[in-house]
Amino acid sequence: MAETTAVAAEMANLGVLEQEQQVTPWDVNAGADGKIDYEKLIKKFGCQSITPELIERVERLTGMPAHPLLRRGVFFAHRDLKELLDAYEKDPNCFYLYTGRGPSSESLHMGHLIPFTFTKYLQDAFKVPLVIQLTDDEKSIWKGISIEESRRLAFENAKDIIAIGFNPKSTFIFNDFDYVGGNFYKNMVAIGKCVTFNQARGIFGFTNEDCIAKIAFPPVQAAPSFPDCFPHMFGEGKKLRCLIPCAIDQDPYFRMTRDVAPRIGGHKPFLIESRFFPSLKGDSGKMSASDPNSAIYVTDTPKQIKSKVNKHAFSGGRDTVEEHREKGGDLNVDVSWKYLNFFLDDDEELKKIGEEYGSGRMLTGEIKKKLIDVVTAMVTRHQEIRAKITQADLDIFFSTAKRNHADLFGSVNPCNAQPAAVPADAAAASEVVPKGEK
């Protein structure tokens, strides 16, 4: 239980000894300078930095260019990714992907798209299956949302996730309230038996005032790391490995899982972890759902996007045009520049914008206009695709009908040409979930 004990101690250090920066699965508080020190997190959590050599190996094994989010260091840390690539080189059918979303709002903001966009790249590049967990139970527990409303939000959020263009033949989406049971519940109990309350309190910061539903939740998020939770996808064994793309605040869950895994007969999950997406108002950790002007939502209109960026995007520009021309914009704090690093695909164009703005030749209004154009195009496209998603599409992704192994591994994503379309053969092969269950 060394790893679980270590994470408990180190989370305590983060929360108590270094109160200027606190990162947990539920709260992200920046340091006194308003920034997150990611090198400190790597050291405290004990994960590894992603190196250029590792990125080159991903490109070589997949035959695809690395995603911009990987090339630019947005996904910057990992756990044992080298070992997973070693296994993949010997057997391309050796792992599946697992990611998730806690549905606490009607729609996603741009920051929520980051892990899903990157996960889609991983699914397409490695041609492996994917499970997506919607933790409607978690949000009901922590946010005080009714079970019925949390469950409804899960299915609304699923439409935004499907709109990203995941392969319907090899992707399974599930919400906890409807899916947990059977093998999944058996794994939850096995995991829970391996972790003491003192360890859970050290890892997650539970107090005597927390309800026991919170204390019981960590095994729910840990369980999908084991393939036998999904017998209709992977059968009954624990042979398959699991790669989890997530933000680094989720690391404590899976450090606990990695410690437990060998004791319940499974592989330790592998992680690839991202930085936080900054608020429009500055680089101080996660965006706040309570402040609509701190985020751009996938439901925003072009007018709202323009207004939010122009009025609220924190600028690294100078006080006067003359000073800006002389000193240039501060790329370290400018949110428009940071957002373009997430969303502008063209490396050469991004480099030119950085040079122009950093030298003062490009003004704040110009870089904001570029961001508005890029984000508006993305959001408009997303809205068009989401509007076409039907109940039948949801039924396909949520189906627990047995999947064809040939479709799970090595299959080309049919949605890459038409992201909103669900192939007829996938629809015919799927077990439809009754509408009453939605």
Side-chain angles (χ1 to χ4, degrees), residues 4-26:
T4 298
T5 303
V7 68
E10 289 169 12
M11 286 297 293
N13 285 341
L14 277 175
V16 178
L17 298 180
E18 300 175 6
Q19 293 181 12
E20 77 279 4
Q21 174 173 300
Q22 185 176 31
V23 175
T24 74
W26 303 289

Side-chain angles (χ1 to χ4, degrees), residues 20-40:
E20 77 279 4
Q21 174 173 300
Q22 185 176 31
V23 175
T24 74
W26 303 289
D27 292 298
V28 176
N29 297 309
D33 60 356
K35 298 179 180 179
I36 299 294
D37 188 332
Y38 291 101
E39 290 302 317
K40 184 179 292 185

Side-chain angles (χ1 to χ4, degrees), residues 168-169 171-173 391-400 403 422-424 426-428 430-433:
K169 293 184 177 182
T171 302
F172 174 54
I173 303 176
Q391 178 65 43
D393 297 329
L394 284 170
D395 293 340
I396 288 167
F397 280 93
F398 279 80
S399 173
T400 56
R403 303 291 179 101
V422 176
S430 296
E431 176 186 283
V432 176
V433 179

